Amino acid sequence: MEKSKILYAEDDKTIAFLIEDSLESYYEIEHYGDGKSALEAFNSKDFDICLLDIMMPEMNGFDLAEQIRSKNSEIPIIFISAKALKEDRIKGLKIGADDYLVKPFSIEELILKIEIFLKRSKKTESSAPKYTVGKYNFDPKNYTLQNSEKTVTLTQRESELLLYFIRHKNSVLKRQDILKAIWGDDDYFMGRSLDVFISRLRKVLATEENIVIENIHGIGFRFSEK
């Protein structure tokens, strides 16, 4: 069976060696020591997932993620960084990352994250159900919102969140229920992550006047179509 291919950008040689040594039995992993060479590799090769440090020479991880996301809105991006400030983690998610692990972390946790995203990103040829969202046709298998004028490609997290909202349309949804359904966790950081992804969905659906993602104070949210 062909191994999934990981783009790994990390300037710390010791950490890079440990992670490569731990993952190479499961995946094909290509390591690059700076953001510029990692971007060049991304532009010339096919990868299934990206693991990005933030503090790197030539190009930092935030800029690298923005470049990757501008070229591919579907590939999973996980930041792995020693930068533990809430502001850094929120910035990473706003750029378009799917997750953010703070060093030090366990290899088991990293592999679990990788497997979750690889499993979710596998496309199928089956006739998966599609949904109508305002004037858009939503295809959750391919993460796309399409109307007569344009096609918008969502990230995995955005697509999962929108699908959850659609399946519970017009219902008041508790924050902790959404978090556990999408992230499997409801801690403080995941709560802030949810706010970021809801803001991203609102921006995508801003032209749809009939679609409302309503804040229900002290409880959660309600997705409705007028």
Side-chain angles (χ1 to χ4, degrees):
M1 184 176 178
E2 186 177 355
K3 292 181 179 179
S4 296
K5 193 170 183 179
I6 296 175
L7 171 66
Y8 175 36
E10 166 68 70
D11 69 326
D12 187 310
K13 294 181 180 179
T14 300
I15 293 175
F17 174 80
L18 292 173
I19 290 182
E20 279 190 281
D21 186 59
S22 300
L23 297 184
E24 63 183 2
S25 297
Y26 308 98
Y27 314 105
E28 182 180 347
I29 182 167
E30 290 196 14
H31 168 247
Y32 298 90
D34 64 84
K36 184 178 178 181
S37 60
L39 180 60
E40 290 172 352
F42 181 82
N43 288 334
S44 61
K45 301 179 182 181
D46 292 325
F47 294 95
D48 297 299
I49 191 168
C50 301
L51 306 180
L52 310 180
D53 186 25
I54 294 175
M55 302 301 293
M56 296 185 293
E58 302 293 337
M59 178 185 293
N60 66 52
F62 288 141
D63 292 340
L64 174 58
E66 285 186 311
Q67 290 291 323
I68 289 173
R69 190 55 81 215
S70 70
K71 295 175 171 61
N72 187 323
S73 60
E74 300 176 19
I75 189 168
I77 297 175
I78 301 175
F79 279 119
I80 48 176
S81 175
K83 293 172 72 66
L85 291 177
K86 176 184 69 177
E87 291 78 10
D88 292 318
R89 299 200 281 183
I90 296 302
K91 180 178 180 179
L93 294 174
K94 285 184 175 179
I95 286 171
D98 295 282
D99 216 326
Y100 192 118
L101 282 177
V102 176
K103 300 173 183 174
F105 50 81
S106 70
I107 291 297
E108 290 78 9
E109 182 181 11
L110 177 58
I111 291 175
L112 177 62
K113 297 280 189 184
I114 291 171
E115 284 300 304
I116 287 171
F117 285 114
L118 288 176
K119 182 178 180 180
R120 290 174 177 173
S121 65
K122 293 186 187 302
K123 306 278 175 54
T124 66
E125 299 297 326
S126 62
S127 55
K130 296 180 176 61
Y131 303 86
T132 300
V133 182
K135 297 178 182 177
Y136 283 106
N137 291 316
F138 173 46
D139 180 353
K141 284 292 184 181
N142 292 297
Y143 317 138
T144 57
L145 283 166
Q146 186 173 27
N147 61 22
S148 59
E149 298 177 355
K150 63 180 178 179
T151 298
V152 179
T153 303
L154 306 173
T155 66
Q156 278 189 50
R157 289 292 200 203
E158 291 167 348
S159 183
E160 290 163 5
L161 181 57
L162 179 56
L163 182 59
Y164 187 82
F165 276 146
I166 291 169
R167 288 174 171 171
H168 299 84
K169 187 164 62 175
N170 299 322
S171 299
V172 176
L173 303 173
K174 294 181 180 178
R175 293 180 66 92
Q176 60 265 36
D177 292 340
I178 301 171
L179 289 166
K180 288 181 178 180
I182 306 300
W183 279 269
D185 198 348
D186 65 348
D187 67 11
Y188 175 79
F189 172 60
M190 289 302 108
R192 295 290 292 121
S193 302
L194 174 60
D195 293 333
V196 171
F197 282 95
I198 286 178
S199 295
R200 279 158 52 171
L201 278 184
R202 283 176 172 152
K203 184 176 180 180
V204 169
L205 297 170
T207 59
E208 299 300 311
E209 297 180 358
N210 293 333
I211 299 296
V212 178
I213 303 176
E214 179 184 3
N215 280 31
I216 307 298
H217 182 68
I219 301 175
F221 302 91
R222 177 166 51 209
F223 178 90
S224 59
E225 188 168 359
K226 297 179 180 177

